[in-house]
Amino acid sequence: FELAMRPFIAACLVVAVSSSHVVDLNDDNFEHLTQAGTGATTGDWFIKFFAPWCHHCQALIDRWDQTATELKSGVPAINVGRIDATANKKIQERFKAYQFPALIFFRNGQLYRYPIENKRSVEELVDFARSGYAKVTPEPVPRPPTWMDKQIEFFWHDMEHILDIRKSAATVLVIGSFLAGVVVTLVCTRLCCGRRNAKVEDSKKSQ
């Protein structure tokens, strides 16, 4: 009986996985799919920024799937996505998603952060995406980095590296100069003491 049920169970699992309305996002496909900063022609998006080790994120998985089903089947339909912020640093930096789970609603070039103190029930999440976002202060969506932005970033990174090397070199130079000064002082002191001792000996002999 167990062997006979395996194909049925597998089919159910496939249907369950494929029926999820949550879109997996990453650094490469985020802007292409959401167009959050380049026109928002794909519609509104409610996105969960998560970390695999976050217990709150894990507890939210089923409710986020249910929220996606509710929002995708509504009118107008709202897209729901998720992104592993720990594995997609560019998007994490772009949207300053450092507390997990960070839930951000994107609409018409603006972003609305789900308040941390709010409960995360399916009803409240759906309500936020439908109308509750209007109670939150909007922020302009940061535009995706251009080719020039990346070149400037590389330039500053190189400059910081050069400055670090120079700081290290300057530190070595200062320490080396100090030690050299100490050695010179000791040598001079030794020579002076030697000469004084020699004069004292000479004076004793002459007496």
Side-chain angles (χ1 to χ4, degrees):
F1 176 76
E2 183 180 351
L3 292 175
M5 288 296 293
R6 283 183 180 178
F8 174 75
I9 294 173
C12 290
L13 289 173
V14 170
V15 171
V17 172
S18 62
S19 63
S20 175
H21 291 103
V22 179
V23 180
D24 287 307
L25 302 168
N26 55 52
D27 281 340
D28 297 325
N29 67 13
F30 187 93
E31 192 60 37
H32 175 71
L33 293 178
T34 68
Q35 297 187 9
T38 53
T41 57
T42 58
D44 299 340
W45 283 81
F46 198 11
I47 299 173
K48 176 182 69 173
F49 295 75
F50 71 93
W53 45 259
C54 170
H55 297 300
H56 296 293
C57 299
Q58 295 169 8
L60 187 60
I61 292 176
D62 291 338
R63 278 173 282 151
W64 196 246
D65 286 339
Q66 295 173 37
T67 299
T69 300
E70 291 280 340
L71 293 176
K72 196 64 178 179
S73 61
V75 179
I78 295 175
N79 302 294
V80 176
R82 64 187 168 206
I83 181 168
D84 180 353
T86 64
N88 298 277
K89 293 295 185 181
K90 292 180 181 178
I91 295 298
Q92 181 186 29
E93 291 287 338
R94 180 181 172 190
F95 296 108
K96 310 302 179 187
Y98 302 118
Q99 291 183 313
F100 304 118
L103 310 177
I104 304 179
F105 181 66
F106 296 85
R107 176 180 172 82
N108 296 333
Q110 301 286 324
L111 66 84
Y112 305 81
R113 299 181 188 274
Y114 191 84
I116 297 176
E117 64 275 10
N118 284 19
K119 294 181 180 179
R120 301 190 187 100
S121 65
V122 175
E123 293 75 15
E124 291 186 87
L125 292 170
V126 170
D127 178 71
F128 182 83
R130 290 291 182 201
S131 59
Y133 67 87
K135 301 175 184 178
V136 177
T137 303
E139 302 173 34
V141 173
R143 63 183 178 82
T146 62
W147 179 85
M148 183 59 69
D149 293 330
K150 294 178 180 178
Q151 299 310 308
I152 293 174
E153 182 182 354
F154 291 147
F155 170 77
W156 284 115
H157 182 270
D158 290 341
M159 288 299 295
E160 289 175 356
H161 182 63
I162 292 171
L163 290 174
D164 286 340
I165 293 175
R166 287 186 175 179
K167 286 178 182 177
S168 299
T171 302
V172 172
L173 180 62
V174 169
I175 294 174
S177 299
F178 174 76
L179 293 175
V182 171
V183 171
V184 170
T185 301
L186 291 173
V187 170
C188 291
T189 302
R190 187 68 178 271
L191 289 174
C192 290
C193 291
R195 288 177 181 175
R196 287 177 183 175
N197 292 334
K199 289 180 179 179
V200 171
E201 291 295 330
D202 292 340
S203 63
K204 287 181 178 179
K205 290 178 179 180
S206 62
Q207 290 176 357

Short mmCIF file of all heavy atoms in Angstrom, two decimals, residues 98-133:
data_model
loop_
_atom_site.label_atom_id
_atom_site.label_comp_id
_atom_site.label_asym_id
_atom_site.label_seq_id
_atom_site.Cartn_x
_atom_site.Cartn_y
_atom_site.Cartn_z
N TYR A 98 18.40 45.09 7.00
CA TYR A 98 19.34 44.48 7.95
C TYR A 98 18.64 43.76 9.10
O TYR A 98 19.28 42.97 9.79
CB TYR A 98 20.28 45.55 8.50
CG TYR A 98 21.08 46.26 7.43
CD1 TYR A 98 20.95 47.63 7.23
CD2 TYR A 98 21.94 45.56 6.60
CE1 TYR A 98 21.67 48.28 6.23
CE2 TYR A 98 22.67 46.20 5.61
CZ TYR A 98 22.53 47.57 5.43
OH TYR A 98 23.24 48.20 4.45
N GLN A 99 17.36 44.07 9.34
CA GLN A 99 16.60 43.38 10.37
C GLN A 99 15.67 42.38 9.71
O GLN A 99 15.00 42.71 8.73
CB GLN A 99 15.80 44.38 11.21
CG GLN A 99 16.68 45.27 12.09
CD GLN A 99 15.85 46.20 12.97
OE1 GLN A 99 14.93 46.85 12.50
NE2 GLN A 99 16.19 46.27 14.24
N PHE A 100 15.62 41.18 10.24
CA PHE A 100 14.87 40.11 9.59
C PHE A 100 13.70 39.63 10.44
O PHE A 100 13.81 39.56 11.68
CB PHE A 100 15.81 38.93 9.29
CG PHE A 100 17.01 39.31 8.48
CD1 PHE A 100 18.29 39.16 8.99
CD2 PHE A 100 16.86 39.83 7.20
CE1 PHE A 100 19.40 39.52 8.26
CE2 PHE A 100 17.97 40.18 6.45
CZ PHE A 100 19.24 40.03 6.98
N PRO A 101 12.59 39.29 9.77
CA PRO A 101 12.35 39.52 8.34
C PRO A 101 12.01 40.98 8.07
O PRO A 101 11.28 41.61 8.84
CB PRO A 101 11.15 38.62 8.05
CG PRO A 101 10.40 38.59 9.34
CD PRO A 101 11.44 38.64 10.43
N ALA A 102 12.56 41.52 7.00
CA ALA A 102 12.22 42.87 6.56
C ALA A 102 11.18 42.74 5.45
O ALA A 102 11.44 42.13 4.42
CB ALA A 102 13.46 43.60 6.05
N LEU A 103 10.00 43.29 5.69
CA LEU A 103 8.90 43.19 4.73
C LEU A 103 8.69 44.57 4.11
O LEU A 103 8.38 45.54 4.81
CB LEU A 103 7.62 42.72 5.43
CG LEU A 103 7.77 41.47 6.32
CD1 LEU A 103 6.46 41.15 7.01
CD2 LEU A 103 8.26 40.29 5.50
N ILE A 104 8.87 44.64 2.80
CA ILE A 104 8.80 45.93 2.11
C ILE A 104 7.80 45.86 0.96
O ILE A 104 7.84 44.94 0.13
CB ILE A 104 10.18 46.35 1.58
CG1 ILE A 104 11.21 46.37 2.73
CG2 ILE A 104 10.11 47.72 0.93
CD1 ILE A 104 12.61 46.75 2.29
N PHE A 105 6.91 46.84 0.92
CA PHE A 105 5.89 46.93 -0.14
C PHE A 105 6.35 47.99 -1.14
O PHE A 105 6.68 49.12 -0.78
CB PHE A 105 4.54 47.31 0.46
CG PHE A 105 3.44 47.39 -0.55
CD1 PHE A 105 2.99 46.26 -1.22
CD2 PHE A 105 2.84 48.60 -0.84
CE1 PHE A 105 1.97 46.33 -2.15
CE2 PHE A 105 1.81 48.69 -1.77
CZ PHE A 105 1.37 47.55 -2.43
N PHE A 106 6.35 47.62 -2.43
CA PHE A 106 6.80 48.51 -3.50
C PHE A 106 5.60 48.92 -4.36
O PHE A 106 4.86 48.06 -4.85
CB PHE A 106 7.84 47.82 -4.37
CG PHE A 106 9.12 47.49 -3.65
CD1 PHE A 106 9.25 46.31 -2.91
CD2 PHE A 106 10.20 48.35 -3.70
CE1 PHE A 106 10.42 46.01 -2.25
CE2 PHE A 106 11.39 48.05 -3.04
CZ PHE A 106 11.49 46.88 -2.31
N ARG A 107 5.46 50.23 -4.55
CA ARG A 107 4.33 50.71 -5.36
C ARG A 107 4.69 52.05 -5.99
O ARG A 107 5.05 53.01 -5.31
CB ARG A 107 3.08 50.86 -4.50
CG ARG A 107 1.88 51.43 -5.24
CD ARG A 107 0.67 51.54 -4.30
NE ARG A 107 -0.44 52.25 -4.92
CZ ARG A 107 -1.30 51.70 -5.76
NH1 ARG A 107 -1.21 50.42 -6.06
NH2 ARG A 107 -2.28 52.41 -6.29
N ASN A 108 4.63 52.11 -7.31
CA ASN A 108 4.82 53.35 -8.06
C ASN A 108 6.08 54.12 -7.67
O ASN A 108 6.04 55.33 -7.42
CB ASN A 108 3.59 54.25 -7.90
CG ASN A 108 2.34 53.65 -8.50
OD1 ASN A 108 2.40 52.85 -9.44
ND2 ASN A 108 1.18 54.01 -7.96
N GLY A 109 7.20 53.41 -7.60
CA GLY A 109 8.46 54.08 -7.32
C GLY A 109 8.67 54.45 -5.87
O GLY A 109 9.64 55.17 -5.55
N GLN A 110 7.79 53.98 -5.00
CA GLN A 110 7.93 54.24 -3.57
C GLN A 110 7.99 52.90 -2.83
O GLN A 110 7.46 51.90 -3.30
CB GLN A 110 6.74 55.05 -3.04
CG GLN A 110 6.54 56.40 -3.71
CD GLN A 110 7.57 57.42 -3.27
OE1 GLN A 110 7.99 57.44 -2.12
NE2 GLN A 110 8.01 58.26 -4.21
N LEU A 111 8.66 52.91 -1.68
CA LEU A 111 8.67 51.69 -0.85
C LEU A 111 8.12 52.01 0.53
O LEU A 111 8.28 53.11 1.06
CB LEU A 111 10.07 51.09 -0.78
CG LEU A 111 11.20 51.86 -0.08
CD1 LEU A 111 11.20 51.63 1.43
CD2 LEU A 111 12.55 51.44 -0.66
N TYR A 112 7.45 51.01 1.10
CA TYR A 112 6.81 51.15 2.40
C TYR A 112 7.24 49.98 3.28
O TYR A 112 7.01 48.83 2.92
CB TYR A 112 5.28 51.16 2.25
CG TYR A 112 4.76 52.21 1.29
CD1 TYR A 112 4.77 51.98 -0.10
CD2 TYR A 112 4.25 53.42 1.75
CE1 TYR A 112 4.29 52.93 -0.98
CE2 TYR A 112 3.76 54.38 0.86
CZ TYR A 112 3.79 54.13 -0.50
OH TYR A 112 3.30 55.07 -1.38
N ARG A 113 7.87 50.29 4.38
CA ARG A 113 8.38 49.24 5.27
C ARG A 113 7.31 48.81 6.27
O ARG A 113 6.71 49.65 6.95
CB ARG A 113 9.63 49.73 6.00
CG ARG A 113 10.77 50.09 5.04
CD ARG A 113 12.01 50.54 5.81
NE ARG A 113 13.01 51.06 4.88
CZ ARG A 113 13.91 50.33 4.24
NH1 ARG A 113 13.95 49.02 4.47
NH2 ARG A 113 14.78 50.87 3.41
N TYR A 114 7.09 47.51 6.33
CA TYR A 114 6.12 46.97 7.29
C TYR A 114 6.66 47.20 8.70
O TYR A 114 7.79 46.79 9.01
CB TYR A 114 5.92 45.47 7.04
CG TYR A 114 4.75 44.86 7.79
CD1 TYR A 114 3.47 44.95 7.29
CD2 TYR A 114 4.96 44.21 9.00
CE1 TYR A 114 2.39 44.39 7.97
CE2 TYR A 114 3.90 43.64 9.69
CZ TYR A 114 2.61 43.74 9.16
OH TYR A 114 1.56 43.19 9.85
N PRO A 115 5.88 47.87 9.57
CA PRO A 115 6.37 48.18 10.92
C PRO A 115 6.77 46.93 11.70
O PRO A 115 6.05 45.93 11.71
CB PRO A 115 5.16 48.87 11.57
CG PRO A 115 4.38 49.42 10.41
CD PRO A 115 4.54 48.41 9.32
N ILE A 116 7.91 47.00 12.33
CA ILE A 116 8.44 45.85 13.08
C ILE A 116 7.51 45.46 14.21
O ILE A 116 7.34 44.28 14.53
CB ILE A 116 9.84 46.18 13.64
CG1 ILE A 116 10.81 46.43 12.49
CG2 ILE A 116 10.35 45.05 14.53
CD1 ILE A 116 12.19 46.85 12.94
N GLU A 117 6.84 46.48 14.82
CA GLU A 117 5.99 46.19 15.97
C GLU A 117 4.65 45.56 15.59
O GLU A 117 3.93 45.05 16.46
CB GLU A 117 5.74 47.48 16.78
CG GLU A 117 4.96 48.55 16.04
CD GLU A 117 5.83 49.45 15.17
OE1 GLU A 117 7.04 49.12 15.00
OE2 GLU A 117 5.32 50.48 14.68
N ASN A 118 4.29 45.58 14.30
CA ASN A 118 3.02 45.00 13.87
C ASN A 118 3.06 43.47 13.91
O ASN A 118 4.10 42.86 13.71
CB ASN A 118 2.68 45.44 12.44
CG ASN A 118 2.19 46.88 12.39
OD1 ASN A 118 2.40 47.65 13.33
ND2 ASN A 118 1.55 47.24 11.30
N LYS A 119 1.90 42.89 14.14
CA LYS A 119 1.79 41.44 14.08
C LYS A 119 1.92 40.99 12.63
O LYS A 119 1.69 41.76 11.70
CB LYS A 119 0.47 40.98 14.67
CG LYS A 119 0.33 41.26 16.16
CD LYS A 119 -1.01 40.76 16.68
CE LYS A 119 -1.15 41.03 18.17
NZ LYS A 119 -2.46 40.57 18.70
N ARG A 120 2.26 39.73 12.45
CA ARG A 120 2.46 39.22 11.08
C ARG A 120 1.45 38.13 10.76
O ARG A 120 1.80 37.09 10.21
CB ARG A 120 3.90 38.69 10.93
CG ARG A 120 4.98 39.74 11.20
CD ARG A 120 6.35 39.25 10.80
NE ARG A 120 7.40 40.17 11.21
CZ ARG A 120 8.15 40.01 12.28
NH1 ARG A 120 7.97 38.94 13.07
NH2 ARG A 120 9.08 40.89 12.59
N SER A 121 0.21 38.37 11.06
CA SER A 121 -0.84 37.42 10.68
C SER A 121 -1.14 37.63 9.20
O SER A 121 -0.83 38.68 8.61
CB SER A 121 -2.11 37.67 11.49
OG SER A 121 -2.66 38.94 11.18
N VAL A 122 -1.71 36.62 8.57
CA VAL A 122 -2.04 36.72 7.14
C VAL A 122 -2.96 37.90 6.90
O VAL A 122 -2.79 38.67 5.94
CB VAL A 122 -2.70 35.41 6.65
CG1 VAL A 122 -3.16 35.56 5.20
CG2 VAL A 122 -1.73 34.24 6.78
N GLU A 123 -3.95 38.08 7.76
CA GLU A 123 -4.92 39.16 7.61
C GLU A 123 -4.23 40.53 7.63
O GLU A 123 -4.51 41.40 6.78
CB GLU A 123 -5.98 39.10 8.71
CG GLU A 123 -6.90 37.89 8.66
CD GLU A 123 -6.22 36.61 9.14
OE1 GLU A 123 -5.13 36.70 9.78
OE2 GLU A 123 -6.75 35.52 8.86
N GLU A 124 -3.32 40.71 8.57
CA GLU A 124 -2.66 42.02 8.68
C GLU A 124 -1.67 42.25 7.54
O GLU A 124 -1.52 43.38 7.07
CB GLU A 124 -1.95 42.12 10.03
CG GLU A 124 -2.93 42.22 11.20
CD GLU A 124 -2.23 42.48 12.52
OE1 GLU A 124 -2.00 43.67 12.84
OE2 GLU A 124 -1.92 41.50 13.21
N LEU A 125 -1.02 41.20 7.10
CA LEU A 125 -0.11 41.34 5.96
C LEU A 125 -0.86 41.70 4.69
O LEU A 125 -0.44 42.58 3.93
CB LEU A 125 0.68 40.03 5.76
CG LEU A 125 1.68 39.67 6.86
CD1 LEU A 125 2.21 38.26 6.67
CD2 LEU A 125 2.84 40.67 6.89
N VAL A 126 -1.98 41.03 4.47
CA VAL A 126 -2.80 41.32 3.29
C VAL A 126 -3.35 42.74 3.37
O VAL A 126 -3.35 43.49 2.38
CB VAL A 126 -3.95 40.30 3.17
CG1 VAL A 126 -4.96 40.74 2.09
CG2 VAL A 126 -3.40 38.92 2.84
N ASP A 127 -3.82 43.13 4.55
CA ASP A 127 -4.38 44.47 4.73
C ASP A 127 -3.33 45.54 4.46
O ASP A 127 -3.61 46.58 3.86
CB ASP A 127 -4.93 44.62 6.14
CG ASP A 127 -5.48 46.02 6.39
OD1 ASP A 127 -6.54 46.33 5.83
OD2 ASP A 127 -4.84 46.79 7.14
N PHE A 128 -2.09 45.27 4.88
CA PHE A 128 -1.02 46.25 4.66
C PHE A 128 -0.77 46.45 3.17
O PHE A 128 -0.60 47.58 2.70
CB PHE A 128 0.27 45.77 5.34
CG PHE A 128 1.42 46.74 5.20
CD1 PHE A 128 1.54 47.82 6.06
CD2 PHE A 128 2.39 46.56 4.22
CE1 PHE A 128 2.59 48.72 5.94
CE2 PHE A 128 3.44 47.45 4.09
CZ PHE A 128 3.55 48.53 4.95
N ALA A 129 -0.74 45.35 2.42
CA ALA A 129 -0.48 45.45 0.98
C ALA A 129 -1.65 46.07 0.24
O ALA A 129 -1.46 46.71 -0.81
CB ALA A 129 -0.17 44.06 0.41
N ARG A 130 -2.87 45.89 0.76
CA ARG A 130 -4.05 46.43 0.10
C ARG A 130 -4.22 47.93 0.36
O ARG A 130 -4.48 48.71 -0.57
CB ARG A 130 -5.31 45.70 0.57
CG ARG A 130 -5.42 44.26 0.10
CD ARG A 130 -5.65 44.18 -1.37
NE ARG A 130 -5.81 42.80 -1.84
CZ ARG A 130 -5.62 42.44 -3.08
NH1 ARG A 130 -5.24 43.33 -3.98
NH2 ARG A 130 -5.78 41.18 -3.45
N SER A 131 -4.05 48.33 1.60
CA SER A 131 -4.29 49.74 1.91
C SER A 131 -3.49 50.24 3.11
O SER A 131 -3.23 51.45 3.21
CB SER A 131 -5.79 49.95 2.20
OG SER A 131 -6.20 49.13 3.30
N GLY A 132 -3.07 49.34 3.99
CA GLY A 132 -2.39 49.76 5.20
C GLY A 132 -1.07 50.46 4.97
O GLY A 132 -0.62 51.24 5.83
N TYR A 133 -0.45 50.22 3.83
CA TYR A 133 0.83 50.85 3.53
C TYR A 133 0.73 52.36 3.55
O TYR A 133 1.72 53.08 3.81
CB TYR A 133 1.36 50.37 2.17
CG TYR A 133 0.52 50.84 1.01
CD1 TYR A 133 0.75 52.08 0.40
CD2 TYR A 133 -0.51 50.05 0.51
CE1 TYR A 133 -0.02 52.52 -0.66
CE2 TYR A 133 -1.29 50.48 -0.55
CZ TYR A 133 -1.05 51.71 -1.13
OH TYR A 133 -1.83 52.15 -2.16
#
